[in-house]
C-alpha cells in the first residue's frame, strides 16, 4: 500500500478524500491523488546516530536472548540436560539443607518427571556450583551489555562476539 504526503499530512491512498468541483472523491486513483499535489512518501534515511542506537538495541537483545537460552542455562546431571531457575535452586537448597540437618544421607533431584538419586552432600554441592555458574554467567552478560553500549560504530557492533567469556557448562 502506497503512502502519500501533502503539506504536513501523511496518508495511505485509501484514506485520502479529494474535493474537486465541490464533489468528494472517496476512492481516488493514484493518478488523481498525484494531480491533486500529493507525492509518494519516502521515509527519510536514518542518521548514522539512529542506526547506531538501533544496532546497539538489537545487539543487547541478542545478548539477552543468548543469556536466557540453553547455550547458558543448562548443566548436566547423569548425562541429562537440566536447568533450575533461581527460585527452584533456592527451594531445593532449603530442602537439601533440611534433609542434611535431619540426618538424611540420600535425596533426589526431580526434573521433568525423572528422578536423579543423589547424596544430600552431592546435592548441596551441586546447587552451590550451579549458583556460582549462574552468577558468573550473569556477570559476563552484564559485561557484554556494557561493552556493546560503549561501541561507537555499527561495524564494531556487527563484529562483536557476545558468546565469549562464559564458563564451561557443569557436568555432575
Amino acid at each position: 500500500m502506497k503512502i502519500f504526503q501533502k503539506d504536513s499530512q501523511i496518508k495511505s491512498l485509501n484514506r485520502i478524500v479529494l474535493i474537486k468541483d465541490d464533489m468528494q472523491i472517496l476512492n481516488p486513483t493514484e493518478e488523481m491523488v498525484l494531480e491533486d499535489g500529493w507525492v509518494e512518501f519516502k521515509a527519510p534515511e536514518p542518521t548514522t546516530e539512529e542506526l547506531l542506537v538501533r544496532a546497539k538495541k538489537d545487539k543487547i537483545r541478542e545478548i539477552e536472548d543468548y543469556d536466557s537460552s540453553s547455550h547458558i542455562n543448562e548443566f548436566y546431571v547423569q548425562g541429562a540436560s537440566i536447568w533450575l531457575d533461581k527460585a527452584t535452586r533456592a527451594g531445593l537448597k532449603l530442602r537439601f539443607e533440611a534433609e542434611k540437618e535431619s540426618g538424611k544421607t540420600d535425596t533426589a533431584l526431580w526434573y521433568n518427571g525423572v528422578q536423579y538419586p543423589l547424596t544430600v552432600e552431592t546435592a548441596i554441592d551441586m546447587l552451590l556450583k550451579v549458583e556460582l555458574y549462574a552468577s558468573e554467567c550473569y556477570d559476563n552478560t552484564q559485561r557484554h551489555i556494557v561493552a556493546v553500549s560503549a561501541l561507537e560504530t555499527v561495524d564494531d557492533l556487527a563484529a562483536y562476539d557476545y558468546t565469549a567469556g562464559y564458563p564451561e557448562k557443569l557436568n555432575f
Side-chain angles (χ1 to χ4, degrees):
M1 173 184 346
K2 286 191 178 179
I3 306 294
F4 293 89
Q5 179 176 4
K6 182 177 180 182
D7 303 323
S8 62
Q9 296 182 27
I10 298 174
K11 294 184 176 184
S12 62
L13 182 61
N14 64 352
R15 296 278 185 197
I16 297 174
V17 175
L18 298 180
I19 299 176
K20 190 169 187 174
D21 299 327
D22 293 329
M23 294 178 54
Q24 287 187 351
I25 303 170
L26 299 178
N27 293 312
T29 65
E30 186 174 328
E31 293 78 25
M32 296 167 113
V33 168
L34 292 171
E35 286 174 12
D36 193 52
W38 291 80
V39 293
E40 189 172 344
F41 176 74
K42 302 282 187 204
E45 292 294 320
T47 66
T48 304
E49 286 181 22
E50 290 171 330
L51 291 172
L52 181 62
V53 168
R54 284 185 206 165
K56 283 183 182 184
K57 285 181 183 176
D58 290 345
K59 188 61 75 169
I60 289 170
R61 190 176 317 108
E62 288 175 32
I63 293 168
E64 290 168 343
D65 288 347
Y66 186 78
D67 177 66
S68 63
S69 75
S70 63
H71 292 287
I72 304 301
N73 295 334
E74 180 178 68
F75 63 93
Y76 301 96
V77 175
Q78 300 170 6
S81 168
I82 292 178
W83 184 247
L84 305 171
D85 63 30
K86 189 168 192 68
T88 302
R89 293 192 306 268
L92 286 172
K93 182 176 186 263
L94 289 172
R95 171 191 168 180
F96 296 150
E97 287 175 351
E99 289 175 339
K100 179 181 177 182
E101 288 296 317
S102 73
K104 284 185 77 174
T105 57
D106 294 314
T107 189
L109 171 67
W110 287 89
Y111 188 78
N112 287 341
V114 177
Q115 180 184 27
Y116 300 93
L118 303 165
T119 67
V120 171
E121 288 297 326
T122 299
I124 291 171
D125 183 59
M126 178 186 72
L127 285 178
L128 173 69
K129 289 176 180 172
V130 170
E131 192 61 39
L132 290 171
Y133 168 83
S135 295
E136 287 177 45
C137 290
Y138 174 81
D139 290 345
N140 195 57
T141 295
Q142 295 309 306
R143 281 190 292 274
H144 283 306
I145 290 171
V146 168
V148 161
S149 297
L151 294 175
E152 296 183 7
T153 69
V154 172
D155 289 340
D156 288 345
L157 284 162
Y160 187 83
D161 180 13
Y162 56 82
T163 65
Y166 286 95
E168 190 173 319
K169 290 181 182 180
L170 301 172
N171 197 346
F172 301 101

